[in-house]
Amino acid sequence: MSNCKPMFEWMQGRLSRRQSLKSAGQLGVFGAICSAAGIVSPAHAATGKGAKKHSRHHAGANRTVGRVDNKRNGFDPHAILTDWERGTLSTDDRGRRVRTFDIVAIDKEIEIAPGLFFPAWTYNGRVPGPTLRATEGETIKVNFRNSGSHPHSIHFHGIHGASMDGIMGAGMVNPGDEFTYEVSARPFGCHLYHCHAIPLKRHIHKGLYGAIIIDPDPELHPEQREIALSRQLGSDENARWQEMVMVMNGFDTNFDDENEVYAANSIAFAYMLDPILIKRDRPVRIYLVNVTEFDPVNSFHLHANFFDYFDHGTTLTPTLRTVDTVMLCQAQRGIIEFSFKDFEPGRYMFHAHQSEFAELGWMSFLKVEA
Ligand SMILES: [Cu+2]
């Protein structure tokens, strides 16, 4: 740790105030790296003594040391990949299939990197909020209770009436109050929901967002029934796929309208420290959502392979084929499909291709196994 402090002071003298603040945020990550046993200063690295340790530091850099306490957070980034919230299915007196979810807004401090805490506003105590999953044609009802300290709402990117829009005068909920949103589960695809209280950037960035996945109804797509079936959770065709959701986000830990930490599903480097296990012979499908505030774009880049991309997930044929990078503005989302069939087993990296985001947490591994 003592080696890190002089370096930080040296850097601080050379940066503008805003850059310094940002470096202070980085120190959370950098400090964690330095606190590991065996890290030596660049000065020592220049001599023979300690050079090996230093090179090991560089080989293993771009990650944090130590672990986020998932238990204290109340959510686990690995569980979030696949913990679809299915709600309760019923038929109403108009004969409609209704899927009902319960969501509560709660203020909650969460740990986003080891030892780095963020005063979040959450849906159901987690960031991102629950991944709602429904089937095309259903009616979605969400009973929303605001147990937070500010007015909040749920605004769905989907199809619904004006009164259900989650904006001022249409489903904005004061602390202690409740509201039931009713929206259509269409179009099928990969969508999102978020709070639409103002100031919008603050309410979104604090953590009030989540993914909503609408599976296509195979009966409505006879010409592409097999593909639709593969997306329908619970079908044999779907069971073959290794599906996961990734919500790309960032955290402004010092409230200067810039992010100090970036991630997929909130926890910096979570999938770097514990790579996501992938079976080589089964295809992979990622539901990707960008909710990053303050930066105009985020991106997803896969190493050593290429993928097909379905913009917004609203088509059954790819909108981009054979690419290894996609760029998404805030609220843009899509479905990524690829396979590691016949590849050499090992760790395959994926990350934002804004290098700054990658170095501040949004860097990950898939561990491909035979
Ligand atoms: Cu809000």
Side-chain angles (χ1 to χ4, degrees):
M1 203 64 188
S2 60
N3 291 324
C4 298
K5 199 163 172 276
M7 179 181 267
F8 178 63
E9 283 166 0
W10 176 85
M11 285 164 66
Q12 213 167 23
R14 281 155 181 78
L15 297 171
S16 71
R17 185 183 164 273
R18 200 180 75 171
Q19 284 172 317
S20 310
L21 284 169
K22 189 144 192 171
S23 294
Q26 286 170 342
L27 188 66
V29 175
F30 184 57
I33 291 168
C34 284
S35 67
I39 304 303
V40 297
S41 71
H44 281 146
T47 68
K49 192 183 170 191
K52 196 178 167 197
K53 284 180 177 178
H54 182 67
S55 66
R56 192 169 65 209
H57 173 198
H58 275 232
N62 286 331
R63 67 182 188 92
T64 46
V65 170
R67 300 277 163 166
V68 162
D69 188 340
N70 296 328
K71 222 171 187 172
R72 183 173 51 203
N73 271 348
F75 62 91
D76 176 334
H78 285 80
I80 279 181
L81 290 169
T82 56
D83 64 355
W84 324 116
E85 179 58 59
R86 302 288 278 149
T88 309
L89 191 60
S90 61
T91 304
D92 72 2
D93 48 16
R94 289 155 64 186
R96 302 181 306 173
R97 281 178 303 145
V98 179
R99 204 173 280 276
T100 306
F101 300 91
D102 295 314
I103 294 183
V104 57
I106 313 164
D107 297 3
K108 183 176 175 181
E109 188 180 67
I110 61 169
E111 189 181 12
I112 52 171
L116 189 59
F117 292 85
F118 179 77
W121 296 340
T122 72
Y123 289 130
N124 289 3
R126 47 178 273 176
V127 181
T131 303
L132 312 183
R133 195 149 176 177
T135 300
E136 180 183 16
E138 293 172 350
T139 295
I140 295 171
K141 278 191 181 177
V142 176
N143 301 316
F144 176 56
R145 178 171 177 79
N146 183 1
S147 295
S149 54
H150 292 70
H152 296 305
S153 70
I154 306 179
H155 164 70
F156 293 89
H157 283 237
I159 292 174
H160 50 261
S163 61
M164 294 292 154
D165 205 29
I167 58 169
M168 283 309 230
M172 190 59 60
V173 182
N174 283 321
D177 285 352
E178 297 179 353
F179 187 84
T180 297
Y181 301 94
E182 186 177 310
V183 300
S184 302
R186 65 192 172 98
F188 69 82
C190 173
H191 305 304
L192 79 153
Y193 61 90
H194 61 83
C195 177
H196 215 296
I198 49 170
L200 193 55
K201 68 178 180 180
R202 201 41 80 185
H203 280 251
I204 291 180
H205 153 264
K206 286 280 268 180
L208 289 169
Y209 47 76
I212 174 165
I213 297 167
I214 310 292
D215 296 340
D217 178 352
E219 303 312 314
L220 300 176
H221 308 279
E223 71 294 347
Q224 290 175 298
R225 192 167 182 279
E226 285 298 308
I227 299 169
L229 266 173
S230 87
R231 284 216 209 154
Q232 193 184 46
L233 189 65
S235 72
D236 291 344
E237 290 80 354
N238 178 263
R240 212 166 62 82
W241 287 78
Q242 301 172 92
E243 291 194 329
M244 58 197 84
V245 67
M246 291 186 195
V247 177
M248 303 191 289
N249 52 0
F251 295 92
D252 172 14
T253 56
N254 57 8
F255 302 96
D256 65 347
D257 287 359
E258 285 205 78
N259 294 309
E260 278 72 42
V261 171
Y262 294 86
N265 297 337
S266 302
I267 311 302
F269 300 113
Y271 309 127
M272 187 94 174
L273 290 166
D274 296 308
I276 299 168
L277 300 182
I278 294 293
K279 284 287 174 199
R280 183 172 66 171
D281 294 331
R282 290 171 50 205
V284 180
R285 177 179 288 138
I286 299 174
Y287 295 94
L288 183 72
V289 179
N290 178 28
V291 293
T292 314
E293 195 58 77
F294 307 123
D295 294 285
V297 295
N298 203 327
S299 61
F300 178 103
H301 166 58
L302 178 63
H303 281 213
N305 203 344
F306 282 75
F307 55 81
D308 284 347
Y309 184 70
F310 303 71
D311 193 14
H312 290 65
T314 48
T315 58
L316 295 173
T317 46
T319 51
L320 274 177
R321 286 185 194 272
T322 323
V323 294
D324 69 4
T325 307
V326 282
M327 179 178 77
L328 296 85
C329 70
Q330 190 188 48
Q332 212 170 354
R333 64 277 183 188
I335 298 174
I336 284 174
E337 291 183 358
F338 56 89
S339 166
F340 276 97
K341 190 170 163 46
D342 298 331
F343 275 61
E344 173 190 342
R347 294 190 310 170
Y348 291 88
M349 191 173 258
F350 64 99
H351 58 87
H353 220 303
Q354 284 77 9
S355 306
E356 182 196 15
F357 300 2
E359 287 169 358
L360 291 174
W362 181 182
M363 186 177 269
S364 310
F365 275 125
L366 299 172
K367 189 176 177 196
V368 176
E369 298 177 331

